[in-house]
């Protein structure tokens, strides 16, 4: 019988679910040896992601994305609480604008899991029940905005009512032609993503719709993510993916090649490969720029151009992402 648990907040329950056989696996032992059972940025992993780990060809890679280790406690110069300059770019509560005529909404603090390398792991999220009205008020006085990005946290974790209110508040503003959603739910909680299907199906009649998923490893993609992407594509969404280049997760050409190809099989084009944002506690994921460029050069020889993501870094205060 299927377990009714949809997410693990206790590391011990999570490890028990993975089973003794699994945790005895030599490949995962390294991560387990460094476990931090009481992290500042609390552990959270969906059952779906735990199931992906169980059937992964490289379980240690996925585990490394989600399990806190004592390496996060290291204080490393240059790794800070607001690495990408979100706070100085705040325009109103929940609204960040860095780029000309395009705005990003921090629509919720909630995600389907807590990725250990998260760039907003130290972000001072406000509990904000009134985000739709705030966005609407702000857009009233900013009628040059043509693209609105729903980010977070994960916007697809909003309840159906709150998500609809937000979409409708944006739709009232004629200047906004493009609605973009940044989400990791197709691989973290495909079931929750599908709860929004009715609204997601309606939106392309009103906006040019872009969904940018966040997938870092080919083992994160399965038939459930395929179902989510397939339905969105059928409804007219443009599907792109961004990944973060992560030591011990995807810093080899075989993994990156497989990721691009599997994304494409599921109807998604690779968009960005991000160099790690320097948030406090993530330094152990860093891949240096030389290695990053070598990896991109290698996969460029293996893949068609449309499957090679752009290698970029976000630099606080710049007017766009910066090519590496
Ligand atoms: C990254 C980001 C965007 C999107 O940038 P693209 O290069 O268009 O993908 C928009 N707004 C903010 C605040 C961002 O950080
Ligand atoms: S899904 Fe994105 S915002 Fe949420 S914890 Fe992971 S990296 Fe951070």
């Amino acid at each position: 019988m299927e377990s009714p648990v949809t997410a693990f907040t206790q590391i011990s329950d999570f490890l028990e679910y993975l089973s003794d056989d699994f945790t005895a696996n030599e490949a995962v032992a390294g991560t387990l040896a460094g476990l931090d059972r009481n992290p500042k940025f609390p552990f959270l992993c969906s059952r779906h992601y735990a199931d992906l780990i169980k059937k992964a060809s490289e379980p240690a890679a996925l585990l490394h994305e989600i399990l806190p280790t004592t390496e996060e406690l290291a204080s490393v110069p240059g790794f800070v609480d607001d690495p990408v300059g979100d706070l100085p770019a705040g325009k109103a509560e929940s609204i960040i604008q860095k780029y000309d005529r395009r705005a990003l909404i921090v629509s919720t603090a909630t995600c389907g899991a807590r990725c250990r390398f998260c760039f907003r792991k130290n972000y001072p999220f406000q509990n904000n029940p009134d985000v739709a009205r705030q966005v609407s008020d702000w857009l009233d006085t900013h009628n040059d905005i043509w693209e609105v990005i729903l980010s977070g946290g994960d916007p697809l974790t909003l309840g159906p009512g709150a998500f609809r209110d937000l979409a409708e508040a944006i739709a009232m503003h004629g200047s906004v032609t493009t609605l973009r959603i940044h989400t990791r739910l197709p691989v973290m909680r495909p079931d929750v993503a599908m709860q929004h299907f009715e609204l997601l199906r309606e939106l392309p009649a009103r906006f040019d719709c872009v969904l940018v998923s966040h997938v870092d490893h080919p083992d994160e993609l399965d038939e459930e993510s395929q179902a989510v992407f397939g339905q969105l594509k059928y409804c007219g969404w443009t599907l792109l993916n961004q990944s973060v280049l992560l030591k011990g997760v995807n810093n080899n050409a075989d993994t990156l090649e497989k990721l691009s190809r599997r994304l494409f099989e599921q109807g998604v084009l690779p968009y960005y490969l991000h160099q790690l944002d320097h948030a406090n506690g993530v330094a152990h994921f860093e891949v240096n720029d030389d290695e990053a460029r070598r990896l991109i050069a290698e996969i460029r020889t293996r893949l068609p151009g449309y499957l090679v993501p752009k290698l970029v870094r976000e630099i606080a205060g710049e007017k766009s992402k910066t090519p590496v």
Side-chain angles (χ1 to χ4, degrees):
M1 220 178 81
E2 212 166 74
S3 155
V5 174
T6 56
F8 299 99
T9 55
Q10 299 300 320
I11 294 171
S12 50
D13 296 344
F14 169 74
L15 293 178
E16 194 176 318
Y17 183 73
L18 291 182
S19 90
D20 292 343
D21 283 353
F22 180 88
T23 50
N25 177 334
E26 234 173 87
V28 308
T31 305
L32 292 176
L35 204 57
D36 176 4
R37 289 182 183 274
N38 204 3
K40 236 176 42 182
F41 178 66
F43 169 78
L44 174 67
C45 183
S46 63
R47 182 166 61 84
H48 177 75
Y49 201 75
D51 290 336
L52 290 177
I53 294 172
K54 283 195 195 189
K55 64 186 179 188
S57 60
E58 295 184 277
L62 272 57
L63 212 51
H64 195 44
E65 291 191 71
I66 218 72
L67 259 193
T69 62
T70 52
E71 291 167 301
E72 294 178 26
L73 304 173
S75 164
V76 178
F79 286 75
V80 298
D81 281 349
D82 182 17
V84 297
D86 278 340
L87 298 185
K91 298 298 167 186
E93 211 178 319
S94 311
I95 297 168
I96 298 176
Q97 187 186 7
K98 295 179 179 170
Y99 306 148
D100 196 28
R101 298 187 295 146
R102 304 189 291 128
L104 180 147
I105 315 294
V106 180
S107 41
T108 172
T110 308
C111 287
R114 291 197 189 93
C115 313
R116 305 320 301 174
F117 51 86
C118 179
F119 70 122
R120 290 208 177 108
K121 72 192 289 184
N122 309 298
Y123 186 84
F125 285 104
Q126 312 284 323
N127 174 21
N128 188 355
D130 220 6
V131 60
R133 193 186 50 75
Q134 283 158 359
V135 168
S136 189
D137 288 352
W138 189 79
L139 287 173
D140 282 346
T141 56
H142 294 81
N143 54 20
D144 61 335
I145 299 289
W146 67 269
E147 182 187 53
V148 171
I149 299 172
L150 304 183
S151 177
D154 200 309
L156 295 184
T157 63
L158 288 172
F163 185 34
R164 182 173 286 279
D165 288 349
L166 184 55
E168 282 175 359
I170 297 165
M172 283 182 347
H173 296 81
S175 68
V176 181
T177 58
T178 300
L179 183 71
R180 173 162 146 187
I181 292 179
H182 282 185
T183 180
R184 195 151 158 67
L185 281 212
V187 300
M188 285 298 177
R189 289 296 303 272
D191 57 326
V192 174
M194 288 308 287
Q195 284 173 10
H196 294 296
F197 186 62
E198 206 178 295
L199 177 58
L200 293 170
R201 190 176 49 194
E202 292 168 22
L203 289 173
R206 173 59 189 82
F207 301 100
D208 298 322
C209 289
V210 185
L211 184 123
V212 183
S213 59
H214 168 187
V215 182
D216 297 314
H217 192 283
D219 288 344
E220 294 176 352
L221 295 164
D222 71 345
E223 59 287 348
E224 288 194 59
S225 60
Q226 182 150 29
V228 175
F229 292 135
Q231 303 226 35
L232 289 172
K233 192 165 183 175
Y234 181 74
C235 301
W237 284 72
T238 294
L239 304 177
L240 304 173
N241 183 67
Q242 48 189 349
S243 309
V244 184
L245 183 58
L246 298 164
K247 185 172 163 184
V249 176
N250 57 13
N251 62 325
N252 71 78
D254 290 345
T255 304
L256 291 174
E257 177 191 356
K258 209 183 281 173
L259 174 60
S260 277
R261 293 188 61 175
R262 204 169 286 172
L263 283 165
F264 186 57
E265 281 167 18
Q266 301 203 351
V268 183
L269 285 176
Y271 175 43
Y272 280 148
L273 179 63
H274 289 272
Q275 271 295 42
L276 187 69
D277 294 324
H278 287 186
N280 244 328
V282 308
H284 54 294
F285 286 105
E286 175 88 334
V287 176
N288 70 45
D289 283 357
D290 285 343
E291 183 185 346
R293 287 193 203 96
R294 263 201 309 278
L295 286 167
I296 286 288
E298 173 63 28
I299 65 167
R300 194 176 283 129
T301 67
R302 303 187 189 184
L303 291 167
Y306 57 84
L307 293 187
V308 181
K310 299 181 182 78
L311 180 65
V312 295
R313 151 174 297 121
E314 182 162 356
I315 300 175
E318 292 294 321
K319 301 309 279 178
S320 70
K321 308 287 187 248
T322 304
V324 175

